[in-house]
Amino acid sequence: MEQLKNPLTGDTLYRTVHPTGLEILVWPQPQARVAYAVFATRYGSVYNTLPTANGGTEEVPEGIAHYLEHKLFESEEGDAFERFSATGADANAYTSFERTAYLFSATENILPSLEILLDFVQHPYFTPQTVQKEQGIIGQEIRMCEDDPERGVLFNLLQAMYHTHPVRIDIAGTVESISHITADLLYRCYARYYNLHNMVLVVAGKIDPEQVQQAADRLLKPAEPFTPVPYTVEEPETVVRHRVEEAMPVSAPLFHLGFKEPQLTHTPTTVAASRMLLKLLCGKSSPLYARLMEEGLINEQFGAEYFNGPGYGVWLFGGESADPDRVEALICEEIGRLQQEGIDPERMEQLRRATYGSIVSELDDSAYCGELLLDDVIDGIPPLSRLEAFASMTAGELTAQLRTRIPLENRTLSVIVPQKDQKG
């Protein structure tokens, strides 16, 4: 394995591309009590097509990536969760817009748990009967989510922001869309996207890199060559609507204010700038946060995040507020001011120290470290290169990021208001 020494943390990472095509990253932490492993594929809900033999594409049902995640834990021998239970590992999985990940954390029996992870993800088992049974389970999950105001305020926003990009579609799909999923279609999606050339294994914490390499040599199966096709979608830079509102049974209005980022190629600088800009704009030490609190416009639930993937990027601010429109106006005012005046170098230095310090404090958490490495791989940047970008970024560079990546005109406010019979 190639050794990658990080000059800022002093840690040594290990990286290799296995002969089967799988990229493997190991971050050993001798002081750790826990090992965290995640086996992921670059396949999430936005990948809603399959290539056809004639060079075209075939649309697949919405929610199929999430459906496949659920089904992959089953096998002829039993459930993978039962196998993990026998080793004492805590296993889970998740599907996002751009990836599907299978993971576990463990304090003992780490190698047996890693072998289970590598084994079950490579052995799909679908039958018409089990696929049909899962439709009822996931259908019930979807119906429950339809009544969730937090889900509603987010997907109302995305549907009002994006014209055609599938990020506007719920990751789980709809009850109607999943009814078209078959065992054959699951196998075809699996064969396309669960190719080891399209996947990554990350292990962090209480682990020996050589043991990971040996487990990979024993269990990984050769994969057909895979040529990733660049993700393209015809999506205008504008938003569909600037405001969307829905009444639901909530005690106070919920809101999400989103800014639609122009499409860009991510670099360590853009990744580092994302976290720093959120702290700059509305971190708890920011002037904007203080003003919103003083005016009683937000409470402790207020927060912000940035998320991105192939062909999309969203800057999101949200929480509870009796006057979401006023919150929108003040956020836009502050962004506009900073875009016009630029970021003060002294403020930039305070921001850098606070951001870097918060990241370093989280490096004792093996799960955080594992997901950090996975994020870097999915974003297409060198492992931990964002840390070096934090250390070298200037106020001018951060100002340029703010001016080009948060267009005030391409924004949407999504609001969930209390139903009339819910108002006191």
Side-chain angles (χ1 to χ4, degrees):
M1 284 187 168
E2 175 190 10
Q3 294 187 22
L4 306 173
K5 181 93 171 178
N6 187 275
L8 296 177
T9 67
D11 292 333
T12 299
L13 311 182
Y14 295 79
R15 178 188 177 276
T16 188
V17 177
H18 195 265
T20 57
L22 179 68
E23 183 173 4
I24 302 173
L25 285 160
V26 184
W27 188 345
Q29 298 167 311
Q31 76 283 3
R33 296 180 55 254
V34 177
Y36 179 86
V38 55
F39 194 8
T41 177
R42 297 173 178 86
Y43 177 48
S45 64
V46 302
Y47 293 92
N48 60 351
T49 61
L50 280 173
T52 57
N54 61 5
T57 58
E58 168 193 359
E59 288 193 9
V60 296
E62 298 169 3
I64 194 166
H66 172 256
Y67 203 103
L68 183 51
E69 173 221 313
H70 274 237
K71 294 304 301 171
L72 206 55
F73 280 90
E74 295 182 6
S75 71
E76 289 184 277
E77 291 75 32
D79 188 284
F81 283 115
E82 296 175 357
R83 298 172 65 187
F84 280 117
S85 179
T87 66
D90 183 13
N92 210 333
Y94 64 86
T95 304
S96 66
F97 293 118
E98 86 290 349
R99 75 184 79 165
T100 307
Y102 303 85
L103 56 98
F104 75 84
S105 60
T107 58
E108 58 184 2
N109 297 319
I110 294 164
L111 284 179
S113 298
L114 180 61
E115 291 175 352
I116 294 169
L117 180 67
L118 295 178
D119 178 61
F120 88 85
V121 174
Q122 291 186 92
H123 290 91
Y125 173 71
F126 316 126
T127 68
Q129 294 76 23
T130 60
V131 171
Q132 184 177 20
K133 178 182 177 182
E134 196 71 28
Q135 286 174 351
I137 297 170
I138 297 182
Q140 184 178 13
E141 179 182 319
I142 292 171
R143 291 186 188 93
M144 291 174 62
C145 289
E146 288 173 349
D147 297 327
D148 180 5
E150 293 288 348
R151 173 210 165 274
V153 73
L154 173 62
F155 281 97
N156 287 353
L157 174 84
L158 295 176
Q159 288 163 14
M161 289 185 75
Y162 284 89
H163 297 254
T164 60
H165 197 292
V167 72
R168 67 196 306 276
I169 299 167
D170 194 303
I171 292 169
T174 66
V175 173
E176 196 278 332
S177 71
I178 66 169
S179 69
H180 300 288
I181 294 175
T182 64
D184 175 69
L185 194 53
L186 288 174
Y187 276 118
R188 289 166 55 203
C189 288
Y190 179 91
R192 172 64 180 176
Y193 292 107
Y194 281 71
N195 183 299
L196 291 180
H197 295 270
N198 194 47
M199 301 180 73
V200 59
L201 172 68
V202 175
V203 188
K206 183 181 173 182
I207 194 69
D208 181 343
E210 283 302 315
Q211 292 176 320
V212 176
Q213 177 77 59
Q214 292 166 8
D217 291 343
R218 288 196 306 272
L219 293 165
L220 295 180
K221 302 184 299 181
E224 293 292 326
F226 178 89
T227 303
V229 177
Y231 188 93
T232 58
V233 61
E234 295 295 328
E235 175 60 43
E237 290 189 358
T238 59
V239 299
V240 180
R241 287 182 287 171
H242 288 291
R243 197 179 194 284
V244 59
E245 183 176 304
E246 181 182 1
M248 294 184 73
V250 294
S251 58
L254 300 178
F255 76 94
H256 275 343
L257 172 62
F259 296 87
K260 184 179 182 180
E261 182 179 68
Q263 294 189 30
L264 79 161
T265 300
H266 278 282
T267 66
T269 298
T270 65
V271 172
S274 302
R275 182 160 179 169
M276 295 181 75
L277 285 173
L278 290 176
K279 281 187 173 291
L280 172 78
L281 292 170
C282 63
K284 292 191 175 182
S285 62
S286 68
L288 175 62
Y289 185 87
R291 183 175 180 183
L292 292 171
M293 289 293 284
E294 286 169 4
E295 294 190 18
L297 291 168
I298 61 171
N299 56 27
E300 291 292 333
Q301 293 189 20
F302 178 78
E305 66 174 302
Y306 167 78
F307 61 93
N308 69 283
Y312 69 90
V314 179
W315 297 86
L316 192 65
F317 304 81
E320 289 184 351
S321 179
D323 192 353
D325 295 278
R326 175 65 176 162
V327 175
E328 175 188 18
L330 291 179
I331 290 175
C332 290
E333 178 184 303
E334 179 67 358
I335 293 173
R337 182 186 70 81
L338 289 169
Q339 288 177 338
Q340 179 69 28
E341 298 176 2
I343 296 168
D344 177 68
E346 184 177 344
R347 172 64 176 147
M348 170 70 192
E349 186 58 28
Q350 294 172 346
L351 186 69
R352 187 207 330 274
R353 290 179 181 177
T355 306
Y356 187 75
S358 65
I359 290 177
V360 170
S361 69
E362 293 174 302
L363 296 184
D364 290 334
D365 184 341
S366 299
Y368 176 84
C369 293
E371 290 293 329
L372 186 66
L373 286 182
L374 180 60
D375 286 343
D376 287 347
V377 173
I378 298 296
D379 280 331
I381 64 174
L384 301 187
S385 57
R386 69 181 70 199
L387 298 183
E388 296 171 42
F390 279 125
S392 62
M393 190 175 299
T394 66
E397 289 173 328
L398 194 60
T399 298
Q401 294 280 319
L402 177 62
R403 288 171 176 167
T404 58
R405 295 177 60 188
I406 309 183
L408 290 175
E409 67 276 12
N410 292 335
R411 69 179 188 271
T412 296
L413 177 64
S414 171
V415 182
I416 299 293
V417 299
Q419 291 176 345
K420 290 184 178 180
D421 59 358
Q422 293 292 315
K423 293 181 179 179

Short mmCIF file of all heavy atoms in Angstrom, two decimals, residues 34-80:
data_model
loop_
_atom_site.label_atom_id
_atom_site.label_comp_id
_atom_site.label_asym_id
_atom_site.label_seq_id
_atom_site.Cartn_x
_atom_site.Cartn_y
_atom_site.Cartn_z
N VAL A 34 -12.10 1.82 18.62
CA VAL A 34 -13.12 1.40 17.67
C VAL A 34 -12.55 1.39 16.25
O VAL A 34 -11.70 2.22 15.92
CB VAL A 34 -14.34 2.35 17.72
CG1 VAL A 34 -15.39 1.97 16.69
CG2 VAL A 34 -14.95 2.36 19.12
N ALA A 35 -13.01 0.46 15.45
CA ALA A 35 -12.72 0.47 14.02
C ALA A 35 -14.02 0.77 13.28
O ALA A 35 -15.10 0.31 13.67
CB ALA A 35 -12.17 -0.88 13.57
N TYR A 36 -13.91 1.57 12.24
CA TYR A 36 -15.05 1.93 11.41
C TYR A 36 -14.71 1.59 9.97
O TYR A 36 -13.64 1.97 9.46
CB TYR A 36 -15.35 3.42 11.54
CG TYR A 36 -16.50 3.91 10.70
CD1 TYR A 36 -17.81 3.84 11.17
CD2 TYR A 36 -16.29 4.47 9.44
CE1 TYR A 36 -18.87 4.29 10.40
CE2 TYR A 36 -17.35 4.93 8.67
CZ TYR A 36 -18.64 4.84 9.15
OH TYR A 36 -19.69 5.30 8.40
N ALA A 37 -15.60 0.87 9.31
CA ALA A 37 -15.38 0.49 7.91
C ALA A 37 -16.61 0.85 7.10
O ALA A 37 -17.74 0.64 7.55
CB ALA A 37 -15.08 -1.00 7.80
N VAL A 38 -16.38 1.38 5.91
CA VAL A 38 -17.49 1.71 5.01
C VAL A 38 -17.12 1.27 3.59
O VAL A 38 -16.03 1.56 3.10
CB VAL A 38 -17.83 3.22 5.07
CG1 VAL A 38 -16.62 4.09 4.79
CG2 VAL A 38 -18.97 3.56 4.12
N PHE A 39 -18.00 0.52 2.98
CA PHE A 39 -17.85 -0.03 1.63
C PHE A 39 -18.93 0.65 0.79
O PHE A 39 -20.13 0.42 1.00
CB PHE A 39 -18.07 -1.54 1.70
CG PHE A 39 -17.63 -2.32 0.49
CD1 PHE A 39 -16.93 -1.74 -0.55
CD2 PHE A 39 -17.94 -3.67 0.40
CE1 PHE A 39 -16.53 -2.49 -1.65
CE2 PHE A 39 -17.56 -4.43 -0.69
CZ PHE A 39 -16.85 -3.84 -1.72
N ALA A 40 -18.51 1.51 -0.13
CA ALA A 40 -19.48 2.38 -0.80
C ALA A 40 -19.33 2.31 -2.32
O ALA A 40 -18.25 2.02 -2.85
CB ALA A 40 -19.30 3.82 -0.35
N THR A 41 -20.42 2.63 -2.99
CA THR A 41 -20.43 2.72 -4.44
C THR A 41 -20.91 4.10 -4.85
O THR A 41 -21.74 4.72 -4.17
CB THR A 41 -21.33 1.64 -5.07
OG1 THR A 41 -21.37 1.83 -6.49
CG2 THR A 41 -22.75 1.70 -4.54
N ARG A 42 -20.39 4.58 -5.95
CA ARG A 42 -20.82 5.86 -6.50
C ARG A 42 -22.16 5.65 -7.22
O ARG A 42 -22.27 5.75 -8.44
CB ARG A 42 -19.77 6.41 -7.45
CG ARG A 42 -18.43 6.73 -6.78
CD ARG A 42 -17.39 7.12 -7.83
NE ARG A 42 -16.11 7.47 -7.24
CZ ARG A 42 -15.15 6.59 -6.93
NH1 ARG A 42 -15.36 5.29 -7.11
NH2 ARG A 42 -14.00 7.00 -6.43
N TYR A 43 -23.17 5.39 -6.44
CA TYR A 43 -24.50 5.12 -6.97
C TYR A 43 -25.53 5.55 -5.96
O TYR A 43 -25.68 4.93 -4.91
CB TYR A 43 -24.65 3.62 -7.28
CG TYR A 43 -26.02 3.21 -7.78
CD1 TYR A 43 -26.65 3.92 -8.80
CD2 TYR A 43 -26.67 2.11 -7.23
CE1 TYR A 43 -27.90 3.53 -9.26
CE2 TYR A 43 -27.92 1.71 -7.70
CZ TYR A 43 -28.53 2.42 -8.71
OH TYR A 43 -29.77 2.04 -9.17
N GLY A 44 -26.19 6.65 -6.24
CA GLY A 44 -27.24 7.15 -5.38
C GLY A 44 -28.49 7.40 -6.19
O GLY A 44 -28.61 6.99 -7.35
N SER A 45 -29.42 8.13 -5.60
CA SER A 45 -30.73 8.27 -6.22
C SER A 45 -30.73 9.08 -7.51
O SER A 45 -31.64 8.95 -8.32
CB SER A 45 -31.70 8.92 -5.23
OG SER A 45 -31.29 10.24 -4.92
N VAL A 46 -29.70 9.92 -7.73
CA VAL A 46 -29.71 10.73 -8.96
C VAL A 46 -29.30 9.92 -10.18
O VAL A 46 -29.51 10.36 -11.32
CB VAL A 46 -28.81 11.98 -8.83
CG1 VAL A 46 -29.26 12.84 -7.66
CG2 VAL A 46 -27.34 11.62 -8.72
N TYR A 47 -28.74 8.74 -9.97
CA TYR A 47 -28.36 7.89 -11.11
C TYR A 47 -29.58 7.07 -11.51
O TYR A 47 -29.74 5.91 -11.10
CB TYR A 47 -27.19 7.00 -10.73
CG TYR A 47 -25.91 7.75 -10.48
CD1 TYR A 47 -25.58 8.18 -9.20
CD2 TYR A 47 -25.04 8.07 -11.52
CE1 TYR A 47 -24.41 8.90 -8.96
CE2 TYR A 47 -23.87 8.77 -11.29
CZ TYR A 47 -23.56 9.19 -10.01
OH TYR A 47 -22.40 9.89 -9.79
N ASN A 48 -30.43 7.67 -12.32
CA ASN A 48 -31.72 7.06 -12.62
C ASN A 48 -31.82 6.50 -14.02
O ASN A 48 -32.91 6.37 -14.58
CB ASN A 48 -32.84 8.09 -12.39
CG ASN A 48 -32.69 9.32 -13.28
OD1 ASN A 48 -31.66 9.49 -13.95
ND2 ASN A 48 -33.69 10.17 -13.28
N THR A 49 -30.67 6.14 -14.62
CA THR A 49 -30.69 5.50 -15.94
C THR A 49 -29.70 4.34 -15.98
O THR A 49 -28.78 4.26 -15.16
CB THR A 49 -30.30 6.50 -17.04
OG1 THR A 49 -28.97 6.98 -16.81
CG2 THR A 49 -31.27 7.68 -17.10
N LEU A 50 -29.91 3.46 -16.95
CA LEU A 50 -28.98 2.38 -17.25
C LEU A 50 -28.59 2.48 -18.72
O LEU A 50 -29.43 2.81 -19.56
CB LEU A 50 -29.63 1.02 -17.00
CG LEU A 50 -29.68 0.51 -15.56
CD1 LEU A 50 -30.51 -0.78 -15.51
CD2 LEU A 50 -28.28 0.25 -15.03
N PRO A 51 -27.33 2.20 -19.05
CA PRO A 51 -26.95 2.20 -20.46
C PRO A 51 -27.57 1.02 -21.20
O PRO A 51 -27.78 -0.05 -20.61
CB PRO A 51 -25.42 2.09 -20.41
CG PRO A 51 -25.13 1.45 -19.09
CD PRO A 51 -26.20 1.89 -18.16
N THR A 52 -27.88 1.20 -22.47
CA THR A 52 -28.44 0.14 -23.29
C THR A 52 -27.41 -0.34 -24.30
O THR A 52 -26.39 0.31 -24.52
CB THR A 52 -29.70 0.62 -24.03
OG1 THR A 52 -29.36 1.77 -24.82
CG2 THR A 52 -30.79 1.01 -23.04
N ALA A 53 -27.69 -1.48 -24.91
CA ALA A 53 -26.73 -2.09 -25.83
C ALA A 53 -26.44 -1.22 -27.04
O ALA A 53 -25.35 -1.27 -27.62
CB ALA A 53 -27.25 -3.46 -26.29
N ASN A 54 -27.41 -0.40 -27.45
CA ASN A 54 -27.23 0.44 -28.65
C ASN A 54 -26.60 1.79 -28.33
O ASN A 54 -26.58 2.69 -29.17
CB ASN A 54 -28.57 0.65 -29.36
CG ASN A 54 -29.60 1.35 -28.48
OD1 ASN A 54 -29.28 1.77 -27.37
ND2 ASN A 54 -30.81 1.48 -28.99
N GLY A 55 -26.10 1.96 -27.11
CA GLY A 55 -25.44 3.21 -26.75
C GLY A 55 -26.34 4.25 -26.15
O GLY A 55 -25.88 5.34 -25.80
N GLY A 56 -27.63 3.94 -25.98
CA GLY A 56 -28.56 4.87 -25.38
C GLY A 56 -28.68 4.65 -23.88
O GLY A 56 -27.82 4.02 -23.25
N THR A 57 -29.75 5.15 -23.32
CA THR A 57 -30.00 4.96 -21.90
C THR A 57 -31.44 4.56 -21.66
O THR A 57 -32.34 4.88 -22.45
CB THR A 57 -29.72 6.26 -21.10
OG1 THR A 57 -30.54 7.31 -21.61
CG2 THR A 57 -28.27 6.64 -21.17
N GLU A 58 -31.64 3.86 -20.58
CA GLU A 58 -32.96 3.39 -20.17
C GLU A 58 -33.28 3.96 -18.79
O GLU A 58 -32.46 3.85 -17.87
CB GLU A 58 -32.96 1.86 -20.11
CG GLU A 58 -34.17 1.25 -19.43
CD GLU A 58 -33.99 -0.22 -19.10
OE1 GLU A 58 -32.91 -0.78 -19.43
OE2 GLU A 58 -34.90 -0.81 -18.51
N GLU A 59 -34.41 4.59 -18.64
CA GLU A 59 -34.79 5.12 -17.34
C GLU A 59 -35.21 3.98 -16.42
O GLU A 59 -35.83 3.01 -16.86
CB GLU A 59 -35.94 6.12 -17.48
CG GLU A 59 -35.51 7.44 -18.11
CD GLU A 59 -36.56 8.52 -17.95
OE1 GLU A 59 -37.54 8.30 -17.21
OE2 GLU A 59 -36.40 9.59 -18.57
N VAL A 60 -34.86 4.11 -15.15
CA VAL A 60 -35.23 3.11 -14.16
C VAL A 60 -36.14 3.76 -13.13
O VAL A 60 -36.17 5.00 -13.00
CB VAL A 60 -33.99 2.49 -13.48
CG1 VAL A 60 -33.16 1.72 -14.49
CG2 VAL A 60 -33.14 3.57 -12.81
N PRO A 61 -36.91 2.99 -12.37
CA PRO A 61 -37.85 3.58 -11.42
C PRO A 61 -37.17 4.43 -10.35
O PRO A 61 -36.08 4.09 -9.86
CB PRO A 61 -38.54 2.36 -10.79
CG PRO A 61 -38.38 1.27 -11.80
CD PRO A 61 -37.06 1.51 -12.43
N GLU A 62 -37.81 5.52 -9.99
CA GLU A 62 -37.31 6.36 -8.90
C GLU A 62 -37.24 5.55 -7.61
O GLU A 62 -38.14 4.79 -7.30
CB GLU A 62 -38.24 7.56 -8.71
CG GLU A 62 -38.33 8.47 -9.92
CD GLU A 62 -39.46 9.48 -9.80
OE1 GLU A 62 -40.14 9.49 -8.75
OE2 GLU A 62 -39.68 10.25 -10.76
N GLY A 63 -36.14 5.72 -6.88
CA GLY A 63 -35.98 5.02 -5.61
C GLY A 63 -35.28 3.68 -5.70
O GLY A 63 -35.13 3.00 -4.68
N ILE A 64 -34.80 3.30 -6.88
CA ILE A 64 -34.26 1.94 -7.01
C ILE A 64 -32.92 1.78 -6.29
O ILE A 64 -32.61 0.70 -5.76
CB ILE A 64 -34.14 1.54 -8.50
CG1 ILE A 64 -33.93 0.02 -8.60
CG2 ILE A 64 -33.08 2.33 -9.22
CD1 ILE A 64 -34.12 -0.53 -10.00
N ALA A 65 -32.10 2.84 -6.21
CA ALA A 65 -30.83 2.73 -5.48
C ALA A 65 -31.08 2.45 -4.00
O ALA A 65 -30.42 1.60 -3.39
CB ALA A 65 -30.00 4.00 -5.65
N HIS A 66 -32.04 3.15 -3.41
CA HIS A 66 -32.41 2.94 -2.02
C HIS A 66 -32.99 1.54 -1.83
O HIS A 66 -32.72 0.86 -0.83
CB HIS A 66 -33.41 4.02 -1.61
CG HIS A 66 -34.02 3.83 -0.26
ND1 HIS A 66 -35.31 3.36 -0.08
CD2 HIS A 66 -33.53 4.04 0.99
CE1 HIS A 66 -35.57 3.29 1.21
NE2 HIS A 66 -34.52 3.69 1.88
N TYR A 67 -33.80 1.11 -2.77
CA TYR A 67 -34.41 -0.22 -2.71
C TYR A 67 -33.33 -1.30 -2.73
O TYR A 67 -33.38 -2.27 -1.96
CB TYR A 67 -35.34 -0.38 -3.92
CG TYR A 67 -36.43 -1.41 -3.76
CD1 TYR A 67 -37.74 -1.01 -3.50
CD2 TYR A 67 -36.18 -2.77 -3.91
CE1 TYR A 67 -38.76 -1.93 -3.37
CE2 TYR A 67 -37.19 -3.70 -3.78
CZ TYR A 67 -38.48 -3.28 -3.52
OH TYR A 67 -39.49 -4.20 -3.39
N LEU A 68 -32.34 -1.10 -3.59
CA LEU A 68 -31.25 -2.07 -3.70
C LEU A 68 -30.46 -2.15 -2.40
O LEU A 68 -30.05 -3.25 -1.97
CB LEU A 68 -30.34 -1.66 -4.86
CG LEU A 68 -29.15 -2.55 -5.22
CD1 LEU A 68 -29.57 -4.00 -5.40
CD2 LEU A 68 -28.49 -2.03 -6.48
N GLU A 69 -30.27 -1.02 -1.75
CA GLU A 69 -29.58 -1.02 -0.46
C GLU A 69 -30.32 -1.92 0.54
O GLU A 69 -29.70 -2.72 1.25
CB GLU A 69 -29.50 0.41 0.08
CG GLU A 69 -28.96 0.52 1.49
CD GLU A 69 -29.71 1.53 2.35
OE1 GLU A 69 -29.95 2.65 1.87
OE2 GLU A 69 -30.06 1.20 3.50
N HIS A 70 -31.64 -1.79 0.62
CA HIS A 70 -32.43 -2.61 1.53
C HIS A 70 -32.26 -4.10 1.21
O HIS A 70 -32.08 -4.92 2.12
CB HIS A 70 -33.91 -2.24 1.42
CG HIS A 70 -34.30 -1.10 2.30
ND1 HIS A 70 -35.29 -1.17 3.24
CD2 HIS A 70 -33.82 0.18 2.37
CE1 HIS A 70 -35.42 -0.01 3.86
NE2 HIS A 70 -34.54 0.82 3.34
N LYS A 71 -32.33 -4.44 -0.06
CA LYS A 71 -32.35 -5.85 -0.45
C LYS A 71 -30.99 -6.53 -0.32
O LYS A 71 -30.91 -7.74 -0.20
CB LYS A 71 -32.83 -5.98 -1.90
CG LYS A 71 -34.28 -5.57 -2.13
CD LYS A 71 -35.24 -6.33 -1.24
CE LYS A 71 -35.16 -7.82 -1.45
NZ LYS A 71 -35.95 -8.57 -0.44
N LEU A 72 -29.92 -5.74 -0.36
CA LEU A 72 -28.60 -6.37 -0.42
C LEU A 72 -28.23 -7.08 0.88
O LEU A 72 -27.35 -7.94 0.90
CB LEU A 72 -27.54 -5.32 -0.77
CG LEU A 72 -26.29 -5.85 -1.46
CD1 LEU A 72 -26.63 -6.64 -2.70
CD2 LEU A 72 -25.34 -4.72 -1.80
N PHE A 73 -28.89 -6.73 1.98
CA PHE A 73 -28.59 -7.39 3.25
C PHE A 73 -29.11 -8.83 3.30
O PHE A 73 -28.73 -9.60 4.17
CB PHE A 73 -29.18 -6.59 4.41
CG PHE A 73 -28.34 -5.41 4.81
CD1 PHE A 73 -28.54 -4.16 4.24
CD2 PHE A 73 -27.33 -5.54 5.75
CE1 PHE A 73 -27.77 -3.07 4.60
CE2 PHE A 73 -26.55 -4.46 6.12
CZ PHE A 73 -26.77 -3.22 5.54
N GLU A 74 -30.00 -9.20 2.37
CA GLU A 74 -30.57 -10.55 2.37
C GLU A 74 -29.71 -11.50 1.54
O GLU A 74 -29.07 -11.10 0.58
CB GLU A 74 -31.98 -10.53 1.79
CG GLU A 74 -32.98 -9.74 2.62
CD GLU A 74 -34.38 -9.79 2.03
OE1 GLU A 74 -34.57 -10.53 1.04
OE2 GLU A 74 -35.26 -9.09 2.54
N SER A 75 -29.74 -12.75 1.95
CA SER A 75 -29.07 -13.81 1.17
C SER A 75 -29.79 -15.12 1.41
O SER A 75 -30.69 -15.21 2.25
CB SER A 75 -27.60 -13.94 1.60
OG SER A 75 -27.52 -14.52 2.90
N GLU A 76 -29.39 -16.13 0.68
CA GLU A 76 -30.01 -17.46 0.87
C GLU A 76 -29.71 -18.00 2.26
O GLU A 76 -30.50 -18.76 2.82
CB GLU A 76 -29.48 -18.42 -0.20
CG GLU A 76 -30.00 -18.14 -1.60
CD GLU A 76 -29.52 -19.18 -2.59
OE1 GLU A 76 -28.40 -19.03 -3.09
OE2 GLU A 76 -30.29 -20.15 -2.85
N GLU A 77 -28.56 -17.59 2.83
CA GLU A 77 -28.16 -18.11 4.15
C GLU A 77 -28.78 -17.34 5.30
O GLU A 77 -28.75 -17.79 6.44
CB GLU A 77 -26.63 -18.08 4.28
CG GLU A 77 -25.90 -19.07 3.41
CD GLU A 77 -25.86 -18.64 1.96
OE1 GLU A 77 -25.83 -17.41 1.70
OE2 GLU A 77 -25.87 -19.51 1.07
N GLY A 78 -29.32 -16.14 5.03
CA GLY A 78 -29.88 -15.35 6.11
C GLY A 78 -29.59 -13.87 5.93
O GLY A 78 -29.15 -13.42 4.88
N ASP A 79 -29.82 -13.15 6.99
CA ASP A 79 -29.68 -11.69 6.97
C ASP A 79 -28.29 -11.28 7.43
O ASP A 79 -27.76 -11.81 8.41
CB ASP A 79 -30.75 -11.10 7.89
CG ASP A 79 -30.82 -9.59 7.78
OD1 ASP A 79 -29.93 -8.92 8.33
OD2 ASP A 79 -31.77 -9.09 7.15
N ALA A 80 -27.68 -10.30 6.73
CA ALA A 80 -26.33 -9.85 7.09
C ALA A 80 -26.30 -9.23 8.48
O ALA A 80 -25.28 -9.31 9.18
CB ALA A 80 -25.82 -8.86 6.04
#
